[in-house]
PDB file of all heavy atoms in Angstrom:
ATOM      1  N   LEU A 104      34.334  10.322  20.994  1.00 93.00           N
ATOM      2  CA  LEU A 104      35.145   9.763  19.924  1.00 93.00           C
ATOM      3  C   LEU A 104      34.425  10.129  18.670  1.00 93.00           C
ATOM      4  O   LEU A 104      33.303   9.583  18.342  1.00 93.00           O
ATOM      5  CB  LEU A 104      35.116   8.268  20.034  1.00 93.00           C
ATOM      6  CG  LEU A 104      36.390   7.503  20.484  1.00 93.00           C
ATOM      7  CD1 LEU A 104      37.174   8.329  21.509  1.00 93.00           C
ATOM      8  CD2 LEU A 104      36.128   6.156  21.006  1.00 93.00           C
TER       9      LEU A 104
ATOM     10  N   PHE B  71      45.439   6.932  20.136  1.00 95.00           N
ATOM     11  CA  PHE B  71      44.653   8.140  20.087  1.00 95.00           C
ATOM     12  C   PHE B  71      45.477   9.354  19.688  1.00 95.00           C
ATOM     13  O   PHE B  71      46.637   9.438  20.038  1.00 95.00           O
ATOM     14  CB  PHE B  71      44.114   8.415  21.502  1.00 95.00           C
ATOM     15  CG  PHE B  71      43.011   7.506  21.961  1.00 95.00           C
ATOM     16  CD1 PHE B  71      43.068   6.911  23.204  1.00 95.00           C
ATOM     17  CD2 PHE B  71      41.970   7.235  21.126  1.00 95.00           C
ATOM     18  CE1 PHE B  71      42.039   6.110  23.603  1.00 95.00           C
ATOM     19  CE2 PHE B  71      40.942   6.399  21.584  1.00 95.00           C
ATOM     20  CZ  PHE B  71      41.042   5.825  22.798  1.00 95.00           C
ATOM     21  N   LEU B  72      44.777  10.217  19.020  1.00 96.00           N
ATOM     22  CA  LEU B  72      45.382  11.524  18.647  1.00 96.00           C
ATOM     23  C   LEU B  72      44.434  12.579  19.256  1.00 96.00           C
ATOM     24  O   LEU B  72      43.155  12.431  18.989  1.00 96.00           O
ATOM     25  CB  LEU B  72      45.502  11.724  17.162  1.00 96.00           C
ATOM     26  CG  LEU B  72      46.865  11.667  16.532  1.00 96.00           C
ATOM     27  CD1 LEU B  72      47.791  10.689  17.149  1.00 96.00           C
ATOM     28  CD2 LEU B  72      46.706  11.358  15.012  1.00 96.00           C
ATOM     29  N   GLY B  73      44.953  13.532  19.941  1.00 96.00           N
ATOM     30  CA  GLY B  73      43.998  14.558  20.477  1.00 96.00           C
ATOM     31  C   GLY B  73      43.908  15.698  19.505  1.00 96.00           C
ATOM     32  O   GLY B  73      44.899  16.076  18.876  1.00 96.00           O
ATOM     33  N   LEU B  74      42.699  16.281  19.432  1.00 95.00           N
ATOM     34  CA  LEU B  74      42.564  17.456  18.613  1.00 95.00           C
ATOM     35  C   LEU B  74      41.761  18.479  19.432  1.00 95.00           C
ATOM     36  O   LEU B  74      40.627  18.275  19.757  1.00 95.00           O
ATOM     37  CB  LEU B  74      41.852  17.205  17.357  1.00 95.00           C
ATOM     38  CG  LEU B  74      41.317  18.334  16.490  1.00 95.00           C
ATOM     39  CD1 LEU B  74      42.300  19.481  16.412  1.00 95.00           C
ATOM     40  CD2 LEU B  74      41.052  17.846  15.056  1.00 95.00           C
ATOM     41  N   LEU B 103      40.642   9.893  16.588  1.00 92.00           N
ATOM     42  CA  LEU B 103      40.684  11.256  17.058  1.00 92.00           C
ATOM     43  C   LEU B 103      39.878  11.491  18.327  1.00 92.00           C
ATOM     44  O   LEU B 103      38.708  11.136  18.406  1.00 92.00           O
ATOM     45  CB  LEU B 103      40.143  12.158  16.015  1.00 92.00           C
ATOM     46  CG  LEU B 103      41.006  13.329  15.561  1.00 92.00           C
ATOM     47  CD1 LEU B 103      42.397  12.895  15.207  1.00 92.00           C
ATOM     48  CD2 LEU B 103      40.415  14.010  14.390  1.00 92.00           C
ATOM     49  N   LEU B 104      40.505  12.059  19.324  1.00 93.00           N
ATOM     50  CA  LEU B 104      39.790  12.474  20.531  1.00 93.00           C
ATOM     51  C   LEU B 104      39.583  13.980  20.352  1.00 93.00           C
ATOM     52  O   LEU B 104      40.507  14.742  20.383  1.00 93.00           O
ATOM     53  CB  LEU B 104      40.685  12.287  21.724  1.00 93.00           C
ATOM     54  CG  LEU B 104      40.234  11.239  22.708  1.00 93.00           C
ATOM     55  CD1 LEU B 104      39.702  10.021  22.021  1.00 93.00           C
ATOM     56  CD2 LEU B 104      41.445  10.834  23.590  1.00 93.00           C
ATOM     57  N   VAL B 105      38.339  14.431  20.110  1.00 90.00           N
ATOM     58  CA  VAL B 105      38.045  15.793  19.838  1.00 90.00           C
ATOM     59  C   VAL B 105      37.536  16.603  21.006  1.00 90.00           C
ATOM     60  O   VAL B 105      36.719  16.141  21.749  1.00 90.00           O
ATOM     61  CB  VAL B 105      37.039  15.934  18.685  1.00 90.00           C
ATOM     62  CG1 VAL B 105      36.715  17.373  18.433  1.00 90.00           C
ATOM     63  CG2 VAL B 105      37.558  15.242  17.466  1.00 90.00           C
ATOM     64  N   MET B 121      42.621  15.484  30.040  1.00 94.00           N
ATOM     65  CA  MET B 121      41.907  14.240  29.688  1.00 94.00           C
ATOM     66  C   MET B 121      42.707  13.547  28.609  1.00 94.00           C
ATOM     67  O   MET B 121      42.854  12.268  28.624  1.00 94.00           O
ATOM     68  CB  MET B 121      40.526  14.692  29.213  1.00 94.00           C
ATOM     69  CG  MET B 121      39.694  13.576  28.492  1.00 94.00           C
ATOM     70  SD  MET B 121      39.831  13.864  26.677  1.00 94.00           S
ATOM     71  CE  MET B 121      40.506  12.283  26.174  1.00 94.00           C
ATOM     72  N   MET B 122      43.207  14.232  27.623  1.00 95.00           N
ATOM     73  CA  MET B 122      43.929  13.598  26.594  1.00 95.00           C
ATOM     74  C   MET B 122      45.214  12.896  27.080  1.00 95.00           C
ATOM     75  O   MET B 122      45.508  11.854  26.674  1.00 95.00           O
ATOM     76  CB  MET B 122      44.265  14.576  25.518  1.00 95.00           C
ATOM     77  CG  MET B 122      43.020  15.025  24.751  1.00 95.00           C
ATOM     78  SD  MET B 122      43.365  16.326  23.554  1.00 95.00           S
ATOM     79  CE  MET B 122      41.720  16.535  22.818  1.00 95.00           C
TER      80      MET B 122
END
Side-chain angles (χ1 to χ4, degrees):
Chain A
L104 250 36
Chain B
F71 288 131
L72 249 37
L74 168 40
L103 232 51
L104 249 38
V105 178
M121 166 259 124
M122 288 174 180

